[in-house]
Amino acid sequence: MRELSQHILDLLENGLEAGANRVSLEIVEDTARALLTIVVTDNGRGMDPQTLDNVVDPFFTTRTTRHVGLGIPLVKAAAQRCDGNLHIVSKVGQGTKVTVEFRRSHIDRAPLGNMESTLMSVLLSRNDCDLVYEHRLDDRSFGFDTAEIREVLGDLPFTHPDIRRWLQEFIREGYQELYHML
Ligand SMILES: Nc1ncnc2c1ncn2[C@@H]1O[C@H](COP(=O)(O)OP(=O)(O)OP(=O)(O)O)[C@@H](O)[C@H]1O
Ligand SMILES: [Mg+2]
């Protein structure tokens, strides 16, 4: 069973591969309604209606290096196993929004997994794409916008060892704070 963070990484990478310069990730955990929702939005090239129809078919991909695209079908299957679903809205030239819902309390719902390494790998992979992140757990939340962080850092890249350490610590502490009552 894949952890949710692996599915999230797939969705974020799709946004990066679509040439987006801004990708946003929203995770909402509502314990009262037992829902966990993941929303990934990008301002990349988008998909036409036919591509969109085919995207949930594992034998469809526009990649030339490999002919099977599995990211979206796997996330969709994981969501459907947990009384949830996956929904995509996309517009050519404007971007894509993927919403995935899970019954949070479902026995088959995979754990969130290592969000620290998922976020770090996106932060370190490209400095020409900003990531807007928000994770809500009932009335608490943790998040950041890399555009704001970059403004403070000036010319220092996220790959600089000190910055990298700082980012890692920032995310780790954010998560500890978010989950401290559970
Ligand atoms: N955010 C997006 N913007 C534009 N096109 C997308 C986006 N997400 C998916 N697609 C299109 O849908 C196809 C299928 O995506 P999917 O994630 O299922 O597989 P993949 O990315 O091709 O391969 P894999 O995820 O297995 O490495 C992609 O090749 C791409 O053409
Ligand atoms: Mg993919």
Side-chain angles (χ1 to χ4, degrees), residues 9-11 13-15 17 61 63 66 69-72:
L9 184 59
D10 277 350
L11 296 176
E13 282 176 344
N14 282 348
E17 278 161 21
T61 179
R63 276 191 174 183
R66 189 149 50 87
L70 279 179
I72 289 173

Side-chain angles (χ1 to χ4, degrees), residues 3-181:
E3 294 178 326
L4 297 187
S5 59
Q6 295 173 280
H7 292 304
I8 290 168
L9 184 59
D10 277 350
L11 296 176
L12 293 171
E13 282 176 344
N14 282 348
L16 296 177
E17 278 161 21
N21 63 15
R22 202 162 169 81
V23 175
S24 99
L25 164 65
E26 188 184 34
I27 301 174
V28 181
E29 297 189 63
D30 182 333
T31 58
R33 293 169 64 215
L35 285 178
L36 190 156
T37 310
I38 297 163
V39 185
V40 176
T41 314
D42 70 71
N43 65 354
R45 75 176 70 89
M47 286 176 268
D48 60 38
Q50 200 214 326
T51 308
L52 195 51
D53 279 348
N54 288 324
V55 139
V56 285
D57 174 353
F59 297 104
F60 176 81
T61 179
T62 55
R63 276 191 174 183
T64 46
T65 46
R66 189 149 50 87
H67 295 284
V68 194
L70 279 179
I72 289 173
L74 284 177
V75 189
K76 181 170 177 157
Q80 288 181 333
R81 269 199 306 276
C82 304
D83 297 342
N85 216 335
L86 173 144
H87 180 70
I88 305 180
V89 182
S90 189
K91 242 188 176 150
V92 173
Q94 292 190 18
T96 301
K97 177 176 180 176
V98 182
T99 304
V100 198
E101 284 183 322
F102 296 83
R103 176 145 303 281
R104 189 178 181 274
S105 54
H106 198 285
I107 189 146
D108 288 331
R109 203 266 294 168
L112 191 59
N114 192 341
M115 282 306 295
E116 182 189 320
S117 77
T118 294
L119 292 169
M120 283 308 291
S121 94
V122 173
L123 293 182
L124 297 176
S125 74
R126 289 255 300 269
N127 59 11
D128 57 348
C129 184
D130 278 310
L131 175 68
V132 187
Y133 172 61
E134 190 184 10
H135 189 141
R136 293 206 297 278
L137 174 60
D138 294 333
D139 58 355
R140 288 201 294 281
S141 93
F142 166 62
F144 54 80
D145 180 343
T146 57
E148 291 167 7
I149 301 175
R150 280 186 225 280
E151 208 158 289
V152 177
L153 292 177
D155 286 340
L156 280 175
F158 288 168
T159 48
H160 184 289
D162 292 344
I163 305 301
R164 192 190 166 126
R165 250 193 308 276
W166 178 83
L167 284 167
Q168 232 157 351
E169 195 59 21
F170 172 62
I171 295 169
R172 194 172 307 147
E173 281 173 11
Y175 263 94
Q176 276 167 5
E177 184 85 358
L178 191 65
Y179 286 113
H180 77 282
M181 299 289 285

